[in-house]
Amino acid sequence: MGGLTITNLTKRFKDTVVLDDLSLEIEEGQTLVLFGPSGAGKTVLLRCIAGAVEPEVGTIQIGGTDMTDVPPEQRGVGMAFQNFALFPHMSAFDNIASPLTAKRATRDTINDGVQAVARLLKIDHVLGHAPKELSNGQKQRTALARALAAQPKLLLLDDPLRNVDAKLRFEMRLELPRLLAEQGATVVYVTQDYKEAMALGDKIAVLVDGKITQVGTPEQVYLRPADLRIAEQFGDPTINLLDVTPEQDDLGMHIRLSEKRVPLPPGYDGTQGQSCVIGIRPEAIRFTEGPNSIEVTIEAETPFNEKTITLCTTFNGREILISRPAGTDAPDEGKARIDIDATNAVLFDRSTGLRIAPQDTATSRSAAA
Amino acid sequence: MEHTSPLERILRGIALTAVVVFFMFPILWIVLMSLQTNETILRSPPSMVFEPTLSNYQAIISGQLTGNTATLEIKFMGNLLNSIILSVGSVALALLLGVPAAYAFARHKFRGSEDIAFTLLSFRFAPPLLVLLPLTIIFQQIGLADTYIGLIWVYQLICLPLILWIVRGYFEDISPDVEHAYRIAGHSWFATFRHIALPLARPGIAAAGLLAFIFAWNNFIFALVLASADKQPVTVGALAFITASGIQYGQIAAAIVLSIAPTLALALYAQRYLVEGLSLGAVKG
């Protein structure tokens, strides 16, 4: 089978464990986003795959072949570096042509190949320039073009949008998925930007301290983050995380926020009395005058074009962020009342930080029977 | 653009002129001296006005030094040729050995790599006299005394550490990612060394080569002890100008001009490599 399989990979630098017994699988033609904070080992993992760094333990299979001990030039991967790593003494053309010259392609093939990928990335007019004459955006596109030029089966992109300005980043975020789909390659894309991860990934793998803490579709990671840190990193504004202790009454499982009963979604029967953290997206909270609403004090309001973020405190002093679409009417100072929709709320164990998966009501019933 | 007032520009001009005059005047003076006879050089007060003559150069090139009383045979051109052979030979060998070694030290940290590199550098600390006597005996026993090969070998004590340490620094300054990128593009490590590392370190290699050449050219003690008359470089050969019959300033000046000409020409040629490439910025910092 194609794709990429990483098994039990461990990499140490002196005494620091950078990659810790890491396993990962990517299906052929899929884009996997490797997401994580800086220092998590994303770049090291990418370099291991490319062959620039040798792991101590573990195997790397590319397209079904064990490539662990194969030198980088024979792995047939394309890689774009975060710092571009263009060859400063070569023109943009020669930079992009380098994977083709390595294959000893004819002059015409090289020329056609470079022109095609340059047109695709809209840099065909600067091919004669040296890297230092290119703008940051052009450098980034040149680096990307170089990675794509030989049409590798596996494409490794190390935070390619990190060093470009916001406008270009936004454009590329829109363009890249189409571009990657056209290539048909398996892609590993490293980023620290959750929006990029959500926009580009068929799957997202979250890497923290050299370990993969979650692999899933963007929806899974966003809606059911495996632990508190993932929950905090996905979403803007960040998710509200409140210490709670679920309770049970005649109406079912619920939590109490400011003495008001907020029902939990089904499946959390086992959590009664457990110290938990509930994660509630700012979008799931709205201002209301309803009967069961919670009183809060509005502390600050940040209007964006498309939404408004409000910071409130409950009378217990807990801070809550609320996001609402711009233009909707709401109180902007003083006391207000809010209503929490806990349908999509996630519950975490406070001591371990891990998500408590709701029991599938169907399964629990059959288990009981 | 930085704004400079006219006064600042004038002062800067004066300062620059002073520096240039300070450093260039000796060279100018020696060139003028080489074009004069001993009588015009020694007259008092000295004058810039004289009738230029090429007799000094003629004497040096023909090897016939005519002093006040006698004619002395001196093989200065042979010495010059020896200097060129020795310096070019030792720099070429040092580059051939030192550049790949510098690359290895820069890119691959292996057991004892720092110790080996430091040992090589320590050759530069040790006074040459320390090794000279044993070296002479060993060279005589194995038949390397008074050969170009033997001298070039000993000159590695001067050239190799210099090239190794300067070039190593340049290799370390090249982002490893640039090399990784080239290898991932499908090129072997040797192609990467040739097409990426070498061109990018070229300013450093040029600087180190130039320095090593000048050090080798100026070397005196090794050649004095290990070389006989027909292998002597200019530094040793120049001793012959101090004769019992007096010092021939004009001829010495001509000899100096001829012996600094190669290093000067090389420095002027190499300086564009020293500057070029330092501003190549493809890796965003």
Coordinates of all heavy atoms in Angstrom, one line a residue, chain A residues 267-315:
Chain A
G267 N -24.8 10.4 28.1 CA -23.6 9.6 28.0 C -22.6 9.8 29.1 O -21.6 9.2 29.2
Y268 N -22.9 10.8 30.0 CA -21.9 11.1 31.0 C -22.4 10.6 32.4 O -22.0 11.1 33.4 CB -21.7 12.6 31.1 CG -21.0 13.2 29.9 CD1 -21.6 14.0 29.0 CD2 -19.6 12.9 29.7 CE1 -20.9 14.5 27.9 CE2 -18.9 13.4 28.6 CZ -19.6 14.2 27.7 OH -18.9 14.7 26.7
D269 N -23.2 9.5 32.4 CA -23.7 9.0 33.6 C -22.6 8.6 34.6 O -22.8 8.8 35.8 CB -24.5 7.7 33.3 CG -25.8 8.1 32.5 OD1 -26.0 9.3 32.4 OD2 -26.5 7.2 32.1
G270 N -21.5 8.2 34.2 CA -20.5 7.7 35.1 C -19.7 8.8 35.8 O -18.8 8.5 36.6
T271 N -19.9 10.0 35.4 CA -19.1 11.1 35.9 C -19.6 11.8 37.2 O -19.0 12.7 37.7 CB -18.9 12.2 34.9 OG1 -20.2 12.7 34.6 CG2 -18.3 11.6 33.6
Q272 N -20.6 11.2 37.8 CA -21.2 11.9 38.9 C -20.2 12.1 40.0 O -19.5 11.1 40.4 CB -22.4 11.0 39.5 CG -23.1 11.8 40.6 CD -24.3 10.9 41.0 OE1 -24.5 9.8 40.6 NE2 -25.1 11.5 41.9
G273 N -20.1 13.3 40.5 CA -19.2 13.6 41.7 C -17.7 13.7 41.3 O -16.9 13.9 42.2
Q274 N -17.4 13.4 40.0 CA -16.0 13.5 39.6 C -15.5 14.9 39.4 O -16.3 15.7 38.9 CB -15.9 12.7 38.3 CG -14.5 12.2 38.0 CD -14.5 11.4 36.7 OE1 -15.6 10.8 36.3 NE2 -13.4 11.3 36.0
S275 N -14.3 15.2 39.7 CA -13.7 16.5 39.4 C -13.5 16.7 37.9 O -12.6 15.9 37.4 CB -12.4 16.8 40.2 OG -12.7 17.0 41.5
C276 N -14.2 17.5 37.3 CA -14.1 17.6 35.9 C -13.8 19.1 35.4 O -13.9 20.0 36.2 CB -15.4 17.2 35.2 SG -15.7 15.4 35.4
V277 N -13.5 19.2 34.2 CA -13.4 20.5 33.5 C -14.3 20.4 32.3 O -14.3 19.5 31.5 CB -12.0 20.8 33.0 CG1 -12.0 22.1 32.3 CG2 -11.0 20.9 34.2
I278 N -15.2 21.4 32.2 CA -16.1 21.4 31.0 C -15.6 22.4 30.0 O -15.2 23.5 30.4 CB -17.6 21.6 31.4 CG1 -18.5 21.3 30.2 CG2 -17.8 23.0 31.9 CD1 -19.9 21.1 30.5
G279 N -15.6 22.0 28.8 CA -15.2 22.9 27.7 C -16.4 23.3 26.9 O -17.1 22.5 26.4
I280 N -16.6 24.6 26.9 CA -17.8 25.2 26.2 C -17.3 26.2 25.2 O -16.6 27.2 25.6 CB -18.8 25.8 27.1 CG1 -19.3 24.8 28.1 CG2 -20.0 26.4 26.3 CD1 -19.9 25.4 29.4
R281 N -17.5 26.0 23.9 CA -17.1 27.0 22.9 C -17.8 28.3 23.1 O -19.0 28.3 23.4 CB -17.5 26.4 21.5 CG -16.7 25.2 21.1 CD -15.3 25.4 20.6 NE -14.6 24.2 20.5 CZ -13.2 24.2 20.4 NH1 -12.6 25.3 20.5 NH2 -12.6 23.0 20.3
P282 N -17.1 29.4 22.8 CA -17.7 30.7 23.0 C -18.9 30.9 22.1 O -19.8 31.7 22.5 CB -16.6 31.7 22.6 CG -15.3 30.9 22.9 CD -15.7 29.5 22.6
E283 N -19.0 30.1 21.0 CA -20.2 30.3 20.1 C -21.4 29.6 20.8 O -22.5 29.9 20.3 CB -19.9 29.6 18.8 CG -18.8 30.2 18.0 CD -17.4 29.7 18.4 OE1 -17.3 28.8 19.3 OE2 -16.4 30.3 17.9
A284 N -21.2 28.8 21.7 CA -22.4 28.0 22.3 C -23.0 28.8 23.4 O -23.9 28.3 24.1 CB -21.9 26.7 22.8
I285 N -22.5 30.0 23.7 CA -23.1 30.8 24.7 C -23.8 32.1 24.1 O -23.2 32.7 23.2 CB -22.0 31.3 25.7 CG1 -21.2 30.1 26.2 CG2 -22.7 32.0 26.9 CD1 -20.1 30.4 27.1
R286 N -25.0 32.4 24.5 CA -25.6 33.6 24.0 C -26.3 34.4 25.1 O -26.6 33.9 26.1 CB -26.6 33.2 22.9 CG -27.7 32.3 23.3 CD -28.4 31.8 22.1 NE -29.4 30.8 22.7 CZ -30.6 31.2 23.1 NH1 -31.0 32.5 23.1 NH2 -31.5 30.3 23.6
F287 N -26.4 35.7 24.8 CA -27.1 36.5 25.7 C -28.6 36.3 25.6 O -29.1 36.1 24.5 CB -26.8 38.0 25.4 CG -25.4 38.4 25.7 CD1 -24.5 38.5 24.7 CD2 -25.0 38.6 27.0 CE1 -23.1 38.9 25.0 CE2 -23.7 38.9 27.3 CZ -22.8 39.1 26.3
T288 N -29.3 36.3 26.7 CA -30.7 36.0 26.7 C -31.3 36.6 27.9 O -30.6 37.1 28.9 CB -30.9 34.4 26.7 OG1 -32.3 34.2 26.8 CG2 -30.3 33.8 28.0
E289 N -32.7 36.6 28.0 CA -33.4 37.1 29.2 C -34.2 35.9 29.7 O -35.1 36.1 30.5 CB -34.2 38.3 28.9 CG -33.5 39.5 28.5 CD -32.6 40.0 29.7 OE1 -33.0 39.8 30.9 OE2 -31.5 40.6 29.4
G290 N -33.9 34.7 29.2 CA -34.7 33.5 29.6 C -34.7 33.2 31.1 O -33.9 33.7 31.8
P291 N -35.6 32.3 31.5 CA -35.8 32.1 32.9 C -34.6 31.4 33.6 O -34.3 31.7 34.7 CB -37.0 31.2 32.9 CG -37.1 30.5 31.6 CD -36.5 31.6 30.6
N292 N -34.0 30.5 32.9 CA -32.9 29.7 33.5 C -31.5 30.3 33.2 O -30.5 29.6 33.3 CB -33.0 28.3 33.0 CG -32.4 27.3 34.1 OD1 -32.3 27.7 35.3 ND2 -32.0 26.2 33.7
S293 N -31.5 31.6 32.9 CA -30.2 32.2 32.5 C -29.3 32.5 33.7 O -29.8 32.6 34.8 CB -30.5 33.5 31.6 OG -31.3 34.3 32.4
I294 N -28.0 32.8 33.4 CA -27.0 33.0 34.4 C -26.6 34.5 34.4 O -26.4 35.0 33.3 CB -25.8 32.1 34.1 CG1 -26.2 30.7 34.2 CG2 -24.7 32.5 35.1 CD1 -25.1 29.7 33.6
E295 N -26.5 35.1 35.5 CA -26.2 36.5 35.5 C -24.6 36.6 35.5 O -23.9 35.9 36.1 CB -26.7 37.2 36.8 CG -26.5 38.7 36.7 CD -27.0 39.3 38.0 OE1 -26.2 39.3 39.0 OE2 -28.1 39.8 38.0
V296 N -24.2 37.5 34.6 CA -22.8 37.8 34.5 C -22.5 39.3 34.4 O -23.5 40.1 34.2 CB -22.2 37.2 33.2 CG1 -22.1 35.7 33.3 CG2 -22.9 37.7 31.9
T297 N -21.3 39.7 34.6 CA -20.9 41.1 34.5 C -20.0 41.2 33.3 O -19.1 40.4 33.1 CB -20.1 41.6 35.7 OG1 -20.8 41.2 36.9 CG2 -19.9 43.1 35.7
I298 N -20.3 42.1 32.4 CA -19.5 42.3 31.2 C -18.3 43.1 31.5 O -18.4 44.2 32.1 CB -20.3 43.0 30.1 CG1 -21.5 42.0 29.7 CG2 -19.5 43.3 28.9 CD1 -22.5 42.6 28.7
E299 N -17.1 42.5 31.2 CA -15.9 43.2 31.5 C -15.3 43.9 30.3 O -14.7 45.0 30.5 CB -14.8 42.1 32.0 CG -15.3 41.3 33.2 CD -15.2 42.1 34.5 OE1 -14.6 43.2 34.5 OE2 -15.8 41.7 35.5
A300 N -15.3 43.3 29.2 CA -14.7 43.9 28.0 C -15.3 43.3 26.8 O -15.9 42.2 26.8 CB -13.2 43.6 28.0
E301 N -15.2 44.1 25.7 CA -15.8 43.7 24.5 C -14.8 44.0 23.3 O -14.3 45.1 23.3 CB -17.1 44.4 24.2 CG -17.9 43.8 23.1 CD -19.2 44.6 22.9 OE1 -19.1 45.7 22.4 OE2 -20.3 44.0 23.1
T302 N -14.6 43.0 22.5 CA -13.7 43.2 21.3 C -14.4 43.0 20.1 O -14.8 41.9 19.7 CB -12.5 42.3 21.4 OG1 -12.0 42.2 22.7 CG2 -11.4 42.7 20.4
P303 N -14.8 44.1 19.3 CA -15.5 43.9 18.1 C -14.5 43.5 16.9 O -13.5 44.1 16.8 CB -16.1 45.2 17.8 CG -15.3 46.2 18.6 CD -14.5 45.5 19.6
F304 N -14.8 42.4 16.2 CA -14.1 42.1 15.0 C -15.1 42.4 13.9 O -16.3 42.7 14.1 CB -13.6 40.7 15.0 CG -12.6 40.4 15.9 CD1 -12.8 39.8 17.2 CD2 -11.2 40.7 15.7 CE1 -11.8 39.5 18.1 CE2 -10.2 40.5 16.6 CZ -10.5 39.9 17.8
N305 N -14.7 42.3 12.7 CA -15.6 42.5 11.6 C -16.8 41.5 11.5 O -17.9 41.9 11.4 CB -14.9 42.5 10.2 CG -14.3 43.9 10.0 OD1 -14.7 44.9 10.5 ND2 -13.2 43.9 9.2
E306 N -16.4 40.3 11.7 CA -17.4 39.3 11.5 C -18.0 38.8 12.8 O -19.1 38.1 12.8 CB -16.9 38.1 10.7 CG -16.0 37.1 11.4 CD -14.6 37.6 11.8 OE1 -14.3 38.8 11.5 OE2 -13.8 36.8 12.4
K307 N -17.4 39.1 13.9 CA -17.9 38.6 15.2 C -17.5 39.6 16.3 O -16.6 40.4 16.2 CB -17.5 37.2 15.5 CG -16.0 37.1 15.7 CD -15.6 35.6 15.7 CE -14.1 35.5 15.7 NZ -13.6 34.2 15.5
T308 N -18.2 39.5 17.4 CA -17.8 40.3 18.6 C -17.5 39.3 19.8 O -18.3 38.4 20.0 CB -19.0 41.2 19.0 OG1 -19.3 42.0 17.8 CG2 -18.6 42.1 20.1
I309 N -16.4 39.6 20.4 CA -16.0 38.7 21.5 C -16.3 39.5 22.8 O -15.8 40.6 23.0 CB -14.5 38.3 21.5 CG1 -14.1 37.9 20.1 CG2 -14.2 37.3 22.5 CD1 -14.7 36.6 19.6
T310 N -17.0 38.9 23.7 CA -17.2 39.6 25.0 C -16.6 38.8 26.2 O -16.8 37.5 26.2 CB -18.7 39.7 25.3 OG1 -19.3 40.2 24.0 CG2 -19.0 40.8 26.3
L311 N -15.9 39.5 27.0 CA -15.4 38.8 28.2 C -16.3 39.1 29.4 O -16.5 40.3 29.7 CB -14.0 39.2 28.5 CG -13.3 38.7 29.8 CD1 -13.1 37.2 29.7 CD2 -12.0 39.4 30.1
C312 N -16.8 38.1 30.0 CA -17.7 38.3 31.2 C -17.2 37.6 32.4 O -16.4 36.7 32.3 CB -19.1 37.7 30.9 SG -19.8 38.2 29.4
T313 N -17.6 38.0 33.6 CA -17.3 37.2 34.8 C -18.6 36.9 35.5 O -19.6 37.6 35.5 CB -16.5 38.0 35.8 OG1 -17.0 39.3 35.9 CG2 -15.0 38.1 35.3
T314 N -18.7 35.6 36.0 CA -19.8 35.2 36.8 C -19.7 35.8 38.2 O -18.6 36.3 38.5 CB -19.9 33.7 36.9 OG1 -18.8 33.2 37.5 CG2 -20.0 33.1 35.5
F315 N -20.6 35.6 39.0 CA -20.4 36.2 40.4 C -19.5 35.4 41.2 O -19.0 35.9 42.2 CB -21.8 36.5 41.1 CG -22.6 35.3 41.5 CD1 -22.2 34.5 42.6 CD2 -23.7 34.9 40.8 CE1 -22.9 33.4 43.0 CE2 -24.4 33.8 41.2 CZ -24.0 33.1 42.3

